Amino acid sequence: MPQRPHTAEETDLAMMRRALLAAEEAAGRGEVPVGAVVARGERVLAVAANERESTGDPTAHAELLAIREAASSLGGWRLSGCTLYATLEPCPMCAGAAHAARLSRLVYAASDPKAGYAGTLHDVPGDPRLNHTIAVHRGLLEREAADLLRSFFKDRRRRPAKPQ
């Protein structure tokens, strides 16, 4: 019996759950728990998590790594028709990368009141002055993503400081 196609909502939930799994894995490595997935419909092109601590690279954000991997997978920089799923609202750099990649959609879980550039502090995806806008869906599995971040930072504050 052929499997019925997923609805857009089911696909979004499945992709965000995969991004949350990547975020959980990042937390286990001592990275800020942010995960990202780039997909074209139900096809996953890339999954990534923050790697700033392990690489020492300030640009190694989950979204940027996923965008790079998806572009490599498709053999070009234009990711039109693709969706970026992120567990945290993209920062200025990642929102800019999503714009530069010509992503069609952005779905994120938790808003970022200190660095969010997809609707909180600024709205790069929806800025009509830019040559491309991105449809945004906010708050998908927000509680799960926010709880993961809160737990990570609460645990980090509890640890004794490392001697210098």
Side-chain angles (χ1 to χ4, degrees), residues 138-157:
R138 299 165 176 87
L140 183 65
L141 300 179
E142 179 177 14
R143 186 179 43 87
E144 292 87 337
D147 287 350
L148 182 60
L149 285 159
R150 239 186 321 276
S151 172
F152 176 82
F153 285 111
K154 184 178 179 183
D155 182 55
R156 183 173 264 189
R157 283 189 296 273

Side-chain angles (χ1 to χ4, degrees), residues 37 56 64 84 128 149 163:
V37 170
L64 204 57
L84 170 63
L149 285 159

Side-chain angles (χ1 to χ4, degrees), residues 21-36:
L21 181 61
E24 289 170 6
E25 292 167 356
R29 295 190 311 272
E31 298 281 354
V32 174
V34 177

Side-chain angles (χ1 to χ4, degrees), residues 33-78:
V34 177
V37 170
V38 175
R40 181 171 276 159
E42 295 180 29
R43 179 178 165 215
V44 174
L45 300 173
V47 178
N50 276 355
E51 295 181 4
R52 287 191 312 173
E53 300 301 324
S54 62
T55 63
D57 179 352
T59 71
H61 288 204
E63 303 94 327
L64 204 57
L65 297 172
I67 288 168
R68 285 179 186 154
E69 186 180 326
S72 178
S73 169
L74 292 176
W77 63 269
R78 286 181 182 87

